Amino acid sequence: MTSALNAYAALALAIVFEVTASALLQQSAQFTRPWPTLAMVMFYVASFYALSVAIRVIPLSIAYAIWGGVGIILTATVSFVLFRQILDSAAFVGIALIVSGVVVINLFSESAVR
């Protein structure tokens, strides 16, 4: 495996951990439920660790844009599926703009690691 592939694998793991932590944040009920709160903290720590591994190779600005953008999309999807939180059209337009930005970065930026 190349170091770029490893970095993107770490970034993908960071995203999955962050989305899981965000879902647990909802379940923690403002930190009043100890087990979801503890699990949430552990997943956020794991997410930041995996992100720190990714930025050894991927520039921070690129990694963070991908982490944030993909994380927003997946969190919105998880929120819809698990918590039945429905987005309005403005939210979908905003998410589409975020997706567009991540695509532009990955396809056209000279800063992206390939």
Side-chain angles (χ1 to χ4, degrees):
M1 271 198 198
T2 67
S3 62
L5 186 57
N6 287 337
Y8 279 103
L11 182 57
L13 200 55
I15 292 166
V16 169
F17 288 156
E18 189 270 332
V19 171
T20 303
S22 295
L24 287 164
L25 179 61
Q26 173 82 21
Q27 295 300 307
S28 75
Q30 291 82 36
F31 307 125
T32 60
R33 298 179 60 216
W35 292 116
T37 300
L38 179 62
M40 175 206 61
V41 169
M42 290 173 55
F43 274 102
Y44 274 129
V45 168
S47 177
F48 280 108
Y49 175 75
L51 183 61
S52 76
V53 169
I55 64 173
R56 290 180 188 159
V57 175
I58 304 167
L60 175 61
S61 57
I62 302 298
Y64 194 79
I66 295 168
W67 182 71
V70 175
I72 289 168
I73 295 161
L74 291 178
T75 300
T77 303
V78 167
S79 295
F80 174 74
V81 171
L82 293 181
F83 308 123
R84 301 291 181 226
Q85 296 175 350
I86 299 171
L87 301 174
D88 61 10
S89 355
F92 280 112
V93 169
I95 290 172
L97 290 170
I98 292 167
V99 170
S100 300
V102 171
V103 168
V104 167
I105 287 169
N106 282 296
L107 292 180
F108 303 110
S109 175
E110 301 267 332
S111 299
V113 176
R114 291 175 175 74

XYZ file of all heavy atoms in Angstrom:
856
model
N 0.840 -1.198 0.000
C 0.000 0.000 0.000
C 0.875 1.248 0.000
O 1.880 1.300 0.685
C -0.864 0.029 1.255
C -2.162 -0.658 1.139
S -3.204 -0.053 2.475
C -4.404 -1.291 2.494
N 0.426 2.230 -0.722
C 1.180 3.481 -0.746
C 0.840 4.325 0.467
O -0.182 4.119 1.122
C 0.838 4.282 -2.019
O -0.523 4.705 -1.930
C 1.056 3.463 -3.284
N 1.700 5.273 0.747
C 1.431 6.145 1.895
C 0.195 7.003 1.647
O -0.541 7.299 2.590
C 2.643 7.013 2.206
O 2.948 7.846 1.121
N -0.058 7.388 0.388
C -1.277 8.164 0.084
C -2.518 7.323 0.347
O -3.492 7.810 0.925
C -1.255 8.656 -1.359
N -2.484 6.059 -0.051
C -3.627 5.172 0.189
C -3.852 4.979 1.686
O -4.993 5.014 2.161
C -3.404 3.836 -0.509
C -4.566 2.847 -0.487
C -5.824 3.475 -1.095
C -4.196 1.585 -1.230
N -2.769 4.797 2.430
C -2.885 4.676 3.889
C -3.468 5.943 4.505
O -4.279 5.877 5.432
C -1.523 4.382 4.517
C -1.064 2.966 4.268
O -1.868 2.084 4.006
N 0.241 2.758 4.334
N -3.030 7.087 4.010
C -3.520 8.360 4.540
C -5.010 8.517 4.275
O -5.769 8.950 5.152
C -2.744 9.521 3.932
N -5.442 8.164 3.067
C -6.870 8.269 2.761
C -7.687 7.226 3.522
O -8.835 7.483 3.890
C -7.121 8.206 1.254
C -6.867 9.545 0.599
C -5.715 9.787 -0.127
C -7.775 10.594 0.756
C -5.470 11.029 -0.705
C -7.540 11.840 0.184
C -6.390 12.043 -0.541
O -6.156 13.284 -1.090
N -7.111 6.071 3.795
C -7.792 5.076 4.635
C -7.954 5.618 6.056
O -9.022 5.465 6.674
C -7.016 3.766 4.636
N -6.910 6.252 6.570
C -6.996 6.862 7.907
C -8.039 7.974 7.914
O -8.802 8.120 8.883
C -5.631 7.404 8.335
N -8.090 8.742 6.842
C -9.086 9.817 6.746
C -10.496 9.235 6.715
O -11.398 9.750 7.381
C -8.822 10.675 5.509
C -9.745 11.859 5.286
C -9.747 12.807 6.490
C -9.341 12.603 4.016
N -10.697 8.164 5.966
C -12.011 7.516 5.927
C -12.409 7.011 7.305
O -13.563 7.170 7.740
C -12.003 6.366 4.916
N -11.460 6.430 8.011
C -11.725 5.954 9.372
C -12.069 7.124 10.294
O -12.994 7.028 11.112
C -10.496 5.202 9.883
C -10.689 4.245 11.041
C -11.758 3.214 10.748
C -9.368 3.566 11.351
N -11.349 8.232 10.136
C -11.631 9.429 10.942
C -13.051 9.911 10.701
O -13.755 10.319 11.636
C -10.628 10.537 10.609
N -13.492 9.861 9.466
C -14.845 10.303 9.130
C -15.881 9.381 9.770
O -16.851 9.848 10.375
C -15.025 10.370 7.603
C -14.157 11.496 7.031
C -16.490 10.559 7.228
C -13.992 11.449 5.521
N -15.678 8.077 9.659
C -16.617 7.115 10.251
C -16.689 7.296 11.763
O -17.782 7.308 12.353
C -16.229 5.663 9.884
C -17.020 4.646 10.692
C -16.417 5.429 8.396
N -15.535 7.471 12.401
C -15.517 7.686 13.851
C -16.234 8.981 14.229
O -16.968 9.036 15.218
C -14.086 7.728 14.387
C -13.386 6.403 14.407
C -12.001 6.346 14.380
C -14.073 5.199 14.460
C -11.324 5.133 14.410
C -13.425 3.979 14.488
C -12.040 3.943 14.462
N -16.033 10.040 13.441
C -16.664 11.332 13.746
C -18.174 11.259 13.585
O -18.919 11.793 14.413
C -16.068 12.416 12.834
C -16.480 13.816 13.204
C -17.745 14.261 12.514
O -18.034 13.784 11.406
O -18.472 15.099 13.092
N -18.645 10.592 12.552
C -20.090 10.451 12.341
C -20.704 9.612 13.461
O -21.780 9.939 13.979
C -20.380 9.850 10.949
C -21.845 9.490 10.795
C -19.945 10.833 9.857
N -20.019 8.557 13.859
C -20.494 7.729 14.977
C -20.562 8.561 16.255
O -21.553 8.500 17.002
C -19.567 6.512 15.168
O -19.519 5.772 13.944
C -20.067 5.622 16.295
N -19.528 9.343 16.499
C -19.509 10.201 17.695
C -20.654 11.210 17.658
O -21.289 11.463 18.691
C -18.166 10.917 17.812
N -20.921 11.770 16.497
C -22.007 12.741 16.381
C -23.365 12.096 16.669
O -24.221 12.701 17.317
C -22.008 13.378 14.990
O -20.839 14.134 14.804
N -23.552 10.873 16.190
C -24.804 10.157 16.483
C -24.912 9.884 17.981
O -25.990 10.003 18.572
C -24.871 8.858 15.688
N -23.803 9.538 18.601
C -23.808 9.302 20.048
C -24.025 10.593 20.829
O -24.581 10.562 21.927
C -22.506 8.629 20.471
C -22.408 7.162 20.056
C -20.970 6.673 20.146
C -23.333 6.306 20.914
N -23.616 11.720 20.266
C -23.875 13.010 20.904
C -25.379 13.212 21.070
O -25.844 13.654 22.118
C -23.260 14.145 20.075
C -23.458 15.567 20.574
C -22.843 15.754 21.947
C -22.836 16.541 19.583
N -26.128 12.855 20.040
C -27.595 12.924 20.114
C -28.110 12.007 21.223
O -28.989 12.372 21.991
C -28.193 12.522 18.762
C -29.693 12.384 18.751
C -30.404 13.705 18.602
O -29.831 14.674 18.130
N -31.642 13.740 19.014
N -27.529 10.813 21.316
C -27.981 9.830 22.300
C -27.550 10.159 23.730
O -28.117 9.640 24.683
C -27.452 8.443 21.917
C -28.018 7.921 20.624
C -29.521 7.786 20.680
O -30.064 7.156 21.584
N -30.204 8.411 19.743
N -26.548 11.023 23.871
C -26.044 11.345 25.215
C -27.008 12.222 26.006
O -26.862 12.338 27.218
C -24.685 12.038 25.131
O -24.837 13.388 24.714
N -27.983 12.811 25.314
C -28.989 13.678 25.965
C -28.316 14.757 26.814
O -28.485 14.816 28.024
C -29.971 12.850 26.794
N -27.523 15.590 26.154
C -26.770 16.679 26.801
C -25.885 16.153 27.929
O -25.813 16.741 29.008
C -27.703 17.791 27.317
C -28.382 18.587 26.240
C -29.614 17.898 25.692
O -30.359 17.242 26.422
N -29.834 18.032 24.407
N -25.212 15.043 27.678
C -24.261 14.424 28.601
C -24.905 13.891 29.884
O -24.227 13.691 30.885
C -23.121 15.381 28.960
C -22.431 15.974 27.767
C -22.327 17.347 27.632
C -21.886 15.177 26.786
C -21.686 17.905 26.536
C -21.253 15.722 25.686
C -21.141 17.091 25.561
N -26.195 13.633 29.858
C -26.871 13.106 31.052
C -26.874 11.575 31.071
O -27.173 10.989 32.111
C -28.322 13.610 31.145
O -29.033 13.192 29.985
C -28.355 15.129 31.280
N -26.574 10.945 29.953
C -26.516 9.487 29.886
C -25.043 9.079 29.781
O -24.386 9.371 28.796
C -27.329 8.983 28.691
C -28.808 9.362 28.836
C -29.670 8.915 27.684
N -29.629 7.472 27.558
C -29.648 6.836 26.392
N -29.718 7.513 25.261
N -29.606 5.522 26.346
N -24.519 8.425 30.828
C -23.072 8.195 30.894
C -22.492 7.312 29.785
O -21.422 7.619 29.259
C -22.848 7.574 32.270
C -24.180 7.198 32.789
C -25.208 7.957 32.023
N -23.144 6.206 29.419
C -22.539 5.303 28.439
C -22.466 5.911 27.042
O -21.400 5.841 26.416
C -23.233 3.941 28.451
C -22.969 3.219 29.749
C -23.895 2.877 30.690
C -21.712 2.816 30.276
N -23.289 2.275 31.769
C -21.938 2.216 31.535
C -20.400 2.886 29.818
C -20.918 1.703 32.324
C -19.384 2.379 30.611
C -19.644 1.789 31.832
N -23.551 6.500 26.541
C -23.413 7.154 25.232
C -22.408 8.312 25.268
O -21.683 8.545 24.294
C -24.819 7.665 24.914
C -25.729 6.816 25.725
C -24.954 6.467 26.969
N -22.343 9.020 26.403
C -21.393 10.132 26.529
C -19.957 9.615 26.491
O -19.107 10.166 25.780
C -21.649 10.912 27.833
O -22.980 11.432 27.813
C -20.651 12.050 27.998
N -19.670 8.553 27.223
C -18.327 7.974 27.226
C -17.948 7.457 25.834
O -16.841 7.706 25.345
C -18.233 6.850 28.259
C -16.888 6.131 28.347
C -15.783 7.107 28.754
C -16.982 4.981 29.339
N -18.878 6.753 25.192
C -18.610 6.231 23.847
C -18.384 7.379 22.865
O -17.489 7.314 22.012
C -19.771 5.357 23.390
N -19.168 8.453 22.996
C -19.013 9.619 22.130
C -17.610 10.201 22.262
O -16.938 10.465 21.257
C -20.051 10.687 22.485
C -19.903 11.976 21.714
S -20.571 13.398 22.583
C -19.597 13.450 24.058
N -17.147 10.384 23.490
C -15.812 10.944 23.722
C -14.750 10.034 23.109
O -13.816 10.505 22.440
C -15.563 11.165 25.233
C -14.108 11.478 25.517
C -16.471 12.269 25.762
N -14.901 8.732 23.296
C -13.921 7.791 22.758
C -13.881 7.847 21.227
O -12.800 7.816 20.627
C -14.227 6.378 23.254
C -13.949 6.219 24.742
S -14.487 4.640 25.438
C -13.656 3.480 24.403
N -15.052 7.950 20.587
C -15.081 8.022 19.127
C -14.521 9.349 18.616
O -13.853 9.375 17.577
C -16.493 7.777 18.586
C -16.808 6.316 18.409
C -17.596 5.651 19.330
C -16.299 5.613 17.329
C -17.885 4.304 19.176
C -16.579 4.258 17.163
C -17.378 3.601 18.092
N -14.758 10.444 19.328
C -14.158 11.713 18.907
C -12.633 11.665 19.034
O -11.915 12.133 18.143
C -14.713 12.904 19.695
C -15.985 13.482 19.111
C -17.108 13.677 19.910
C -16.071 13.860 17.779
C -18.272 14.214 19.382
C -17.225 14.395 17.244
C -18.327 14.569 18.047
O -19.489 15.102 17.523
N -12.139 11.094 20.118
C -10.689 10.964 20.286
C -10.117 10.095 19.169
O -9.092 10.437 18.551
C -10.334 10.411 21.683
C -8.870 10.000 21.764
C -10.665 11.433 22.766
N -10.769 8.980 18.883
C -10.307 8.096 17.807
C -10.339 8.816 16.459
O -9.429 8.662 15.635
C -11.161 6.833 17.761
N -11.370 9.621 16.246
C -11.482 10.371 14.997
C -10.327 11.352 14.831
O -9.706 11.425 13.760
C -12.820 11.114 14.951
O -12.893 11.897 13.773
N -10.030 12.107 15.889
C -8.935 13.068 15.801
C -7.582 12.363 15.660
O -6.693 12.855 14.961
C -8.938 14.021 16.998
C -9.945 15.117 16.841
C -11.102 15.133 17.603
C -9.750 16.136 15.913
C -12.038 16.138 17.441
C -10.682 17.145 15.745
C -11.827 17.151 16.520
N -7.430 11.206 16.286
C -6.181 10.466 16.111
C -6.027 10.032 14.646
O -4.968 10.212 14.041
C -6.102 9.251 17.046
C -4.865 8.442 16.761
C -3.615 8.885 17.181
C -4.930 7.270 16.014
C -2.462 8.181 16.884
C -3.785 6.559 15.703
C -2.556 7.024 16.136
O -1.419 6.329 15.821
N -7.100 9.438 14.089
C -7.035 8.996 12.694
C -6.804 10.183 11.756
O -6.050 10.076 10.783
C -8.316 8.250 12.318
N -7.425 11.327 12.062
C -7.192 12.529 11.260
C -5.731 12.957 11.363
O -5.114 13.349 10.360
C -8.124 13.656 11.700
C -8.045 14.958 10.910
C -8.395 14.740 9.441
C -8.976 15.998 11.527
N -5.148 12.851 12.541
C -3.742 13.232 12.713
C -2.813 12.312 11.913
O -1.777 12.748 11.424
C -3.348 13.242 14.195
O -3.176 11.932 14.684
N -3.194 11.050 11.780
C -2.425 10.120 10.956
C -2.539 10.527 9.484
O -1.549 10.545 8.752
C -2.898 8.663 11.172
C -2.299 7.718 10.146
C -2.583 8.205 12.590
N -3.745 10.884 9.058
C -3.971 11.268 7.660
C -3.174 12.505 7.271
O -2.625 12.581 6.161
C -5.460 11.492 7.415
N -3.065 13.471 8.185
C -2.399 14.727 7.815
C -0.869 14.619 7.820
O -0.190 15.593 7.529
C -2.875 15.926 8.664
C -2.505 15.754 10.136
C -4.358 16.158 8.465
C -2.794 16.992 10.982
N -0.359 13.433 8.100
C 1.080 13.220 7.891
C 1.402 13.284 6.401
O 2.512 13.635 6.024
C 1.508 11.863 8.440
C 1.488 11.771 9.933
C 1.916 10.388 10.367
N 1.718 10.232 11.796
C 1.622 9.061 12.401
N 1.717 7.939 11.705
N 1.440 8.996 13.697
N 0.419 12.921 5.554
C 0.618 12.871 4.110
C -0.266 13.888 3.384
O 0.187 14.593 2.489
C 0.328 11.445 3.570
C 0.413 11.395 2.058
C 1.266 10.434 4.215
N -1.526 13.958 3.788
C -2.485 14.858 3.135
C -2.377 16.228 3.798
O -2.404 16.314 5.031
C -3.929 14.318 3.284
C -4.032 12.890 2.740
C -4.928 15.232 2.582
C -5.323 12.185 3.121
N -2.292 17.310 3.026
C -2.258 18.640 3.648
C -3.487 18.860 4.538
O -4.597 18.424 4.201
C -2.271 19.598 2.458
C -1.741 18.796 1.313
C -2.197 17.381 1.572
N -3.283 19.512 5.668
C -4.354 19.730 6.638
C -5.593 20.343 5.996
O -6.716 19.900 6.246
C -3.865 20.621 7.790
C -4.926 21.038 8.817
C -5.511 19.818 9.508
C -4.337 22.002 9.821
N -5.408 21.357 5.169
C -6.570 22.036 4.571
C -7.394 21.086 3.704
O -8.629 21.138 3.719
C -6.115 23.242 3.755
O -5.199 22.841 2.756
N -6.738 20.214 2.979
C -7.443 19.255 2.122
C -8.113 18.182 2.977
O -9.288 17.866 2.794
C -6.464 18.602 1.117
C -5.783 19.649 0.249
C -7.161 17.538 0.283
C -6.695 20.467 -0.608
N -7.369 17.622 3.918
C -7.924 16.573 4.780
C -9.119 17.086 5.570
O -10.139 16.411 5.680
C -6.844 16.047 5.724
N -8.996 18.300 6.095
C -10.086 18.844 6.904
C -11.312 19.137 6.055
O -12.445 18.908 6.492
C -9.613 20.105 7.638
C -10.565 20.514 8.737
C -10.544 19.864 9.960
C -11.501 21.521 8.539
C -11.424 20.214 10.968
C -12.381 21.882 9.534
C -12.335 21.226 10.750
O -13.214 21.572 11.737
N -11.109 19.610 4.830
C -12.240 19.870 3.936
C -12.984 18.574 3.618
O -14.218 18.527 3.648
C -11.755 20.538 2.652
N -12.235 17.533 3.342
C -12.865 16.235 3.050
C -13.531 15.681 4.300
O -14.683 15.217 4.256
C -11.821 15.245 2.491
C -11.302 15.741 1.141
C -12.404 13.839 2.373
C -10.080 15.002 0.649
N -12.827 15.726 5.426
C -13.370 15.217 6.700
C -14.668 15.943 7.050
O -15.667 15.309 7.389
C -12.312 15.425 7.777
C -12.636 14.944 9.150
C -12.724 13.652 9.570
C -12.873 15.754 10.306
N -12.996 13.624 10.920
C -13.102 14.893 11.388
C -12.911 17.125 10.518
C -13.365 15.350 12.667
C -13.171 17.581 11.798
C -13.393 16.704 12.852
N -14.641 17.258 6.954
C -15.833 18.034 7.290
C -16.965 17.820 6.300
O -18.112 17.594 6.686
N -16.645 17.876 5.009
C -17.680 17.753 3.981
C -18.356 16.396 3.983
O -19.588 16.292 4.016
N -17.559 15.346 3.944
C -18.123 14.000 3.940
C -18.808 13.716 5.276
O -19.880 13.096 5.322
C -17.043 12.945 3.610
C -17.599 11.534 3.722
C -16.477 13.186 2.213
N -18.222 14.211 6.356
C -18.842 14.035 7.674
C -20.221 14.675 7.758
O -21.152 14.098 8.326
N -20.362 15.866 7.176
C -21.668 16.545 7.170
C -22.693 15.724 6.403
O -23.830 15.528 6.861
C -21.544 17.959 6.579
C -20.801 18.874 7.552
C -22.915 18.538 6.231
C -20.373 20.198 6.951
N -22.305 15.236 5.245
C -23.228 14.442 4.424
C -23.644 13.172 5.148
O -24.837 12.850 5.225
C -22.575 14.106 3.072
C -22.343 15.380 2.274
C -23.412 13.110 2.283
C -21.331 15.248 1.186
N -22.683 12.457 5.694
C -23.008 11.211 6.395
C -23.792 11.460 7.676
O -24.699 10.689 8.008
C -21.731 10.420 6.684
C -21.037 9.826 5.457
C -19.754 9.114 5.867
C -21.969 8.877 4.728
N -23.461 12.534 8.391
C -24.212 12.856 9.607
C -25.655 13.198 9.271
O -26.584 12.773 9.984
C -23.535 14.001 10.384
O -22.209 13.591 10.744
C -24.308 14.354 11.644
N -25.873 13.934 8.195
C -27.242 14.248 7.768
C -27.992 12.968 7.400
O -29.171 12.804 7.745
C -27.219 15.211 6.589
N -27.300 12.050 6.742
C -27.928 10.773 6.366
C -28.264 9.941 7.595
O -29.380 9.413 7.720
C -26.991 9.982 5.429
O -26.689 10.797 4.290
C -27.618 8.683 4.981
N -27.321 9.837 8.523
C -27.558 9.088 9.760
C -28.687 9.733 10.565
O -29.548 9.033 11.116
C -26.254 8.992 10.592
C -26.527 8.515 12.014
C -25.266 8.074 9.901
N -28.712 11.045 10.605
C -29.773 11.751 11.340
C -31.139 11.454 10.746
O -32.120 11.296 11.471
C -29.528 13.259 11.314
O -28.350 13.566 12.013
N -31.207 11.359 9.433
C -32.480 11.033 8.777
C -32.885 9.594 9.072
O -34.019 9.318 9.456
C -32.380 11.252 7.266
C -33.598 10.796 6.520
C -34.771 11.535 6.568
C -33.574 9.619 5.800
C -35.906 11.103 5.889
C -34.701 9.177 5.126
C -35.871 9.926 5.169
N -31.935 8.671 8.917
C -32.241 7.247 9.073
C -32.537 6.889 10.529
O -33.534 6.220 10.820
C -31.089 6.379 8.513
C -31.277 4.911 8.854
C -30.954 6.574 7.015
N -31.690 7.326 11.455
C -31.842 6.917 12.854
C -32.825 7.773 13.645
O -33.543 7.260 14.496
C -30.482 6.942 13.566
C -29.442 5.930 13.110
C -28.180 6.080 13.937
C -29.985 4.512 13.199
N -32.814 9.083 13.384
C -33.576 9.994 14.231
C -34.760 10.637 13.518
O -35.441 11.480 14.087
C -32.649 11.086 14.793
C -31.421 10.534 15.463
C -30.153 10.918 15.039
C -31.513 9.619 16.499
C -29.012 10.413 15.642
C -30.379 9.098 17.101
C -29.127 9.497 16.673
N -34.959 10.276 12.246
C -36.065 10.806 11.438
C -36.054 12.330 11.353
O -37.100 12.974 11.343
C -37.412 10.315 11.955
C -37.563 8.822 11.972
C -37.632 8.279 10.571
N -37.794 6.830 10.593
C -37.088 6.015 9.836
N -36.198 6.473 9.008
N -37.271 4.726 9.893
N -34.868 12.912 11.294
C -34.731 14.357 11.147
C -34.708 14.681 9.657
O -33.807 14.251 8.935
C -33.458 14.854 11.840
C -33.501 14.629 13.330
C -32.194 15.002 14.011
O -31.186 15.252 13.371
N -32.213 15.020 15.336
N -35.700 15.431 9.215
C -35.862 15.720 7.797
C -35.282 17.098 7.470
O -35.496 18.062 8.201
C -37.357 15.648 7.421
C -37.872 14.226 7.690
C -37.565 16.038 5.963
C -39.350 14.065 7.563
N -34.549 17.158 6.365
C -33.938 18.412 5.920
C -34.851 19.115 4.921
O -35.562 18.462 4.160
C -32.584 18.130 5.265
C -31.551 17.436 6.144
C -30.314 17.098 5.329
C -31.185 18.318 7.319
N -34.773 20.439 4.910
C -35.545 21.197 3.915
C -34.690 21.420 2.670
O -33.539 21.001 2.586
C -36.055 22.520 4.498
C -34.936 23.443 4.954
O -33.752 23.172 4.655
O -35.252 24.441 5.610
N -35.279 22.075 1.654
C -34.555 22.269 0.389
C -33.290 23.090 0.552
O -32.298 22.821 -0.105
C -35.397 22.924 -0.679
O -36.683 23.137 -0.362
N -33.318 24.104 1.408
C -32.118 24.923 1.613
C -30.979 24.069 2.168
O -29.816 24.242 1.775
C -32.428 26.083 2.550
N -31.296 23.151 3.056
C -30.270 22.262 3.612
C -29.693 21.364 2.518
O -28.477 21.152 2.461
C -30.851 21.419 4.746
N -30.546 20.846 1.640
C -30.057 20.006 0.544
C -29.171 20.800 -0.416
O -28.148 20.303 -0.879
C -31.214 19.363 -0.227
C -31.782 18.152 0.469
C -33.053 18.187 1.000
C -31.035 16.986 0.591
C -33.585 17.077 1.639
C -31.547 15.875 1.237
C -32.824 15.926 1.756
N -29.539 22.040 -0.692
C -28.713 22.888 -1.557
C -27.355 23.130 -0.901
O -26.308 23.030 -1.549
C -29.425 24.222 -1.885
C -28.477 25.206 -2.557
C -30.644 23.970 -2.760
N -27.359 23.441 0.382
C -26.107 23.656 1.098
C -25.222 22.424 1.089
O -24.008 22.520 0.858
N -25.812 21.264 1.310
C -25.038 20.019 1.288
C -24.507 19.759 -0.123
O -23.360 19.329 -0.286
C -25.876 18.840 1.820
C -26.081 19.010 3.330
C -25.215 17.506 1.515
C -27.044 18.026 3.953
N -25.296 20.050 -1.140
C -24.831 19.890 -2.526
C -23.635 20.793 -2.805
O -22.690 20.399 -3.502
C -25.965 20.179 -3.502
N -23.645 21.992 -2.260
C -22.508 22.900 -2.434
C -21.267 22.353 -1.738
O -20.145 22.467 -2.261
C -22.852 24.294 -1.914
C -23.870 25.072 -2.753
C -24.328 26.326 -2.017
C -23.293 25.422 -4.115
N -21.457 21.757 -0.579
C -20.329 21.150 0.137
C -19.758 19.992 -0.683
O -18.537 19.883 -0.857
C -20.755 20.668 1.539
C -21.077 21.875 2.425
C -19.680 19.788 2.169
C -21.800 21.523 3.705
N -20.630 19.140 -1.209
C -20.185 18.022 -2.047
C -19.417 18.553 -3.255
O -18.347 18.050 -3.601
C -21.382 17.160 -2.507
C -20.959 16.158 -3.569
C -22.011 16.447 -1.329
N -19.941 19.599 -3.873
C -19.268 20.204 -5.031
C -17.873 20.679 -4.656
O -16.909 20.472 -5.407
C -20.081 21.387 -5.569
O -21.350 20.963 -5.958
N -17.747 21.303 -3.511
C -16.443 21.778 -3.060
C -15.457 20.656 -2.851
O -14.290 20.749 -3.254
N -15.892 19.571 -2.228
C -15.013 18.421 -2.001
C -14.594 17.805 -3.338
O -13.429 17.448 -3.534
C -15.689 17.382 -1.072
C -14.889 16.087 -1.015
C -15.873 17.957 0.328
N -15.533 17.706 -4.276
C -15.215 17.158 -5.599
C -14.193 18.045 -6.315
O -13.206 17.560 -6.883
C -16.489 16.987 -6.448
C -16.156 16.695 -7.906
C -17.356 15.876 -5.870
N -14.404 19.357 -6.287
C -13.468 20.288 -6.937
C -12.074 20.152 -6.333
O -11.073 20.096 -7.057
C -13.984 21.745 -6.839
C -12.900 22.743 -7.201
C -15.201 21.937 -7.731
N -11.996 20.084 -5.018
C -10.694 19.938 -4.360
C -9.994 18.667 -4.835
O -8.819 18.689 -5.199
C -10.850 19.917 -2.822
C -11.180 21.316 -2.312
C -9.591 19.385 -2.146
C -11.604 21.355 -0.858
N -10.728 17.558 -4.835
C -10.103 16.281 -5.176
C -9.760 16.146 -6.656
O -8.785 15.491 -7.008
C -10.986 15.119 -4.725
C -10.849 14.886 -3.247
O -9.790 14.541 -2.776
N -11.909 15.122 -2.510
N -10.539 16.765 -7.525
C -10.273 16.628 -8.952
C -9.295 17.660 -9.496
O -8.521 17.358 -10.402
C -11.585 16.714 -9.744
C -12.558 15.557 -9.563
C -13.804 15.787 -10.410
C -11.905 14.240 -9.937
N -9.335 18.864 -8.956
C -8.598 19.958 -9.599
C -7.499 20.606 -8.769
O -6.670 21.314 -9.316
C -9.586 21.037 -10.063
C -10.633 20.506 -10.997
C -11.954 20.400 -10.584
C -10.304 20.086 -12.274
C -12.928 19.901 -11.443
C -11.271 19.593 -13.135
C -12.579 19.486 -12.720
N -7.477 20.374 -7.484
C -6.478 21.052 -6.658
C -5.119 20.383 -6.792
O -4.993 19.159 -6.731
C -6.908 21.040 -5.183
O -5.884 21.587 -4.388
N -4.106 21.203 -6.959
C -2.728 20.709 -6.997
C -2.274 20.299 -5.590
O -1.284 19.589 -5.452
C -1.807 21.810 -7.536
C -2.192 22.281 -8.911
C -1.450 21.544 -10.012
O -0.324 21.092 -9.752
O -2.010 21.427 -11.096
N -2.996 20.742 -4.580
C -2.622 20.428 -3.191
C -3.040 19.028 -2.779
O -2.501 18.473 -1.822
C -3.284 21.417 -2.235
O -2.850 22.722 -2.513
N -4.036 18.461 -3.475
C -4.527 17.129 -3.112
C -3.447 16.087 -3.387
O -2.746 16.156 -4.388
C -5.793 16.794 -3.882
N -3.324 15.129 -2.482
C -2.333 14.066 -2.624
C -2.965 12.939 -3.419
O -4.060 12.497 -3.119
C -1.886 13.562 -1.227
C -0.942 12.387 -1.374
C -1.257 14.670 -0.448
N -2.235 12.490 -4.435
C -2.764 11.399 -5.271
C -1.833 10.229 -5.251
O -0.702 10.262 -5.083
C -2.971 11.898 -6.690
C -4.108 12.899 -6.746
C -4.229 13.481 -8.156
N -5.368 14.353 -8.304
C -5.451 15.577 -7.812
N -4.494 16.073 -7.105
N -6.506 16.304 -8.021
